[in-house]
Amino acid sequence: MLELRPNCECCDCDLPPESTLAMICSFECTFCHSCATTRLAGRCPNCKGELVRRPVRPVDKLINNPAATKRVVSPC
């Protein structure tokens, strides 16, 4: 199950679970759309994998499967 990390690892902007602007790699590194497309050119700086849009978890599923709360920041 995806962690749904709460922020962009590059600029630390908030990315709530319902955000359609969150991008992830296969290791779940999380970035905002702006950083992913401009600073990172669609590639994760950690694993060099492709960054794709993170799916949105339905609200009713967040009750038993909440999003992560730990923020990860690694300035790009």
Side-chain angles (χ1 to χ4, degrees):
M1 176 143 342
L2 292 176
E3 289 183 14
L4 301 180
R5 295 178 184 170
N7 65 304
C8 173
E9 292 181 30
C10 193
C11 72
D12 198 30
C13 75
D14 291 335
L15 292 170
E18 67 276 5
S19 176
T20 58
L21 299 177
M23 307 287 285
I24 60 171
C25 71
S26 64
F27 290 97
E28 296 187 55
C29 299
T30 305
F31 303 94
C32 67
H33 185 268
S34 178
C35 287
T37 56
T38 58
R39 293 182 185 183
L40 305 174
R43 293 283 169 195
C44 175
N46 305 315
C47 70
K48 308 301 182 223
E50 177 184 17
L51 293 171
V52 297
R53 186 179 162 277
R54 181 180 74 188
V56 174
R57 186 169 298 155
V59 175
D60 63 320
K61 301 300 181 188
L62 286 169
I63 296 167
N64 292 326
N65 302 287
T69 57
K70 182 180 178 186
R71 296 178 83 86
V72 177
V73 180
S74 305
C76 301

